Amino acid sequence: MLELVVVVLGVAAGFGGARLLRRPSSAASAASIGRSVGAAVGQRRRLDLARLQRSTFSEMMRHVTSRGGRPVVPDAFRVRLHPDDHDTVAQAPGFFTQGIEEAVRHAGRDHGWTVPARIRIEVAVDPTRRPGVPGVDASSPATPEPRRYAQPVEGPAPAPAPRPARLEPKDETRGAYELVDAAATLGRGTDRTIRIDDKRASRRHASVRRRGDSWVVVDERSSNGTRLNGRELPAEQETLLADGDEIGIGPVTLVFRAGDPAPPVPPPVPPTTKLRPVEPVLDDQQRHEISQEYLPDAGSDGTRRR
């Protein structure tokens, strides 16, 4: 009887141990399946974004046009996406636009296109679009390189650019200061436009300012005063300058030069012919091949295939 009890207890212990040993295996298998499903979902999301990138890139290639005998890429694009596609792009907008811009630059370099220094890509929601089918608009085409001629072009030479007003040191020990801004400040301070490194000049001594087509000089309450043609100017009062006037600040004398007058603006010439729209230079087959080459789908590990 005792032997029978021992045998029954042994069988029960063996059955229970086998059940316990099988549980970790099942748990590990379930965890492995969960990880696989999660990876597949994540991969599917990346594939959706990659496919949107490639289809957008292909639509952008429709706007590559020929100007001056060379394909030119526009410098601004507006990508219109279905709301669901827009949500997908919103998860990684920088990756989406930067990847497309990089692909455009690589394609332009390899195929000899003119690509602008900066490409603007705007992404917008368009409920009228179908999911997975982006619409792309382009504007502001890049300016092609200037045409080079083998022979000199006949006609008058272009007129030189007019010289701006300027202040020329009378002692000619330094160059002239061109008055290209609305005002030029003079003095000993380091923030002055024209710095006069002499103790007889105040830190904020005087300024020369534009008034319409003319220039005026103003003394800014300096300690030793500002002279115009040898006559001391009243403080904080504008005095009109004429060509050849001499402005004295301490030991320095600056001669005002009015510069050349601005050339008259010619009247607009009415167009004589209508410009015909430029046809794209890439057909559907070429766009498909280029998009496959520069923006392929993501691989099984989520990385790009090249």
Side-chain angles (χ1 to χ4, degrees):
M1 185 66 180
L2 181 60
E3 293 177 355
L4 180 61
V5 171
V6 171
V7 170
V8 171
L9 291 175
V11 170
F15 179 77
R19 294 279 294 179
L20 290 174
L21 289 174
R22 283 197 297 270
R23 283 181 183 176
S25 176
S26 299
S29 176
S32 176
I33 293 173
R35 286 193 299 269
S36 299
V37 171
V41 171
Q43 175 186 344
R44 181 176 297 276
R45 288 175 180 171
R46 286 192 294 271
L47 281 171
D48 289 344
L49 186 59
R51 280 196 292 264
L52 279 172
Q53 253 186 345
R54 193 174 65 184
S55 58
T56 300
F57 176 80
S58 178
E59 289 300 313
M60 288 169 60
M61 293 302 96
R62 292 184 183 274
H63 299 280
V64 177
T65 55
S66 177
R67 295 178 181 272
R70 184 173 182 177
V72 177
V73 178
D75 61 4
F77 294 90
R78 188 170 186 267
V79 181
R80 296 176 285 106
L81 298 173
H82 184 273
D84 293 343
D85 294 339
H86 189 271
D87 291 342
T88 300
V89 171
Q91 298 176 9
F95 169 81
F96 180 78
T97 57
Q98 292 170 13
I100 293 176
E101 181 176 354
E102 181 181 357
V104 171
R105 295 195 183 282
H106 281 295
R109 180 194 60 197
D110 295 344
H111 295 277
W113 303 342
T114 298
V115 182
R118 180 189 176 194
I119 301 175
R120 294 171 294 168
I121 302 176
E122 175 192 357
V123 180
V125 178
D126 185 356
T128 64
R129 303 303 304 176
R130 290 188 292 115
V133 184
V136 176
D137 304 316
S139 61
S140 302
T143 303
E145 294 181 353
R147 182 177 298 179
R148 294 175 174 84
Y149 297 89
Q151 299 294 333
V153 180
E154 296 182 358
R163 294 192 64 182
R166 58 197 181 277
L167 295 175
E168 298 178 348
K170 190 174 182 180
D171 56 11
E172 299 182 356
T173 58
R174 67 185 85 181
Y177 302 97
E178 293 186 345
L179 303 176
V180 293
D181 297 324
T185 56
L186 301 89
R188 187 160 46 91
T190 56
D191 60 337
R192 301 275 91 179
T193 306
I194 302 174
R195 187 164 182 255
I196 301 173
D197 191 11
D198 190 281
K199 292 184 178 180
R200 286 167 286 184
S202 300
R203 294 184 181 276
R204 301 173 59 88
H205 199 107
S207 61
V208 176
R209 307 170 187 173
R210 185 194 298 273
R211 286 292 176 264
D213 294 333
S214 303
W215 291 86
V216 298
V217 59
V218 180
D219 179 82
E220 298 181 352
R221 292 191 175 275
S222 62
S223 300
N224 295 320
T226 303
R227 304 178 306 278
L228 180 62
N229 299 325
R231 178 176 57 88
E232 188 168 338
L233 296 175
E236 295 186 343
Q237 180 176 322
E238 294 183 349
T239 303
L240 187 65
L241 288 171
D243 186 69
D245 280 350
E246 297 183 356
I247 303 171
I249 297 177
V252 176
T253 300
L254 299 171
V255 181
F256 173 75
R257 297 299 181 189
D260 301 329
V265 179
V269 178
T272 56
T273 58
K274 293 183 178 181
L275 298 178
R276 293 178 299 174
V278 180
E279 296 295 331
V281 297
L282 302 175
D283 57 28
D284 290 344
Q285 180 63 29
Q286 290 172 318
R287 289 191 301 104
H288 177 73
E289 292 175 355
I290 292 175
S291 62
Q292 289 279 355
E293 179 180 358
Y294 293 97
L295 274 177
D297 279 338
S300 58
D301 56 354
T303 58
R304 297 286 188 193
R305 287 178 181 162
R306 294 302 301 265

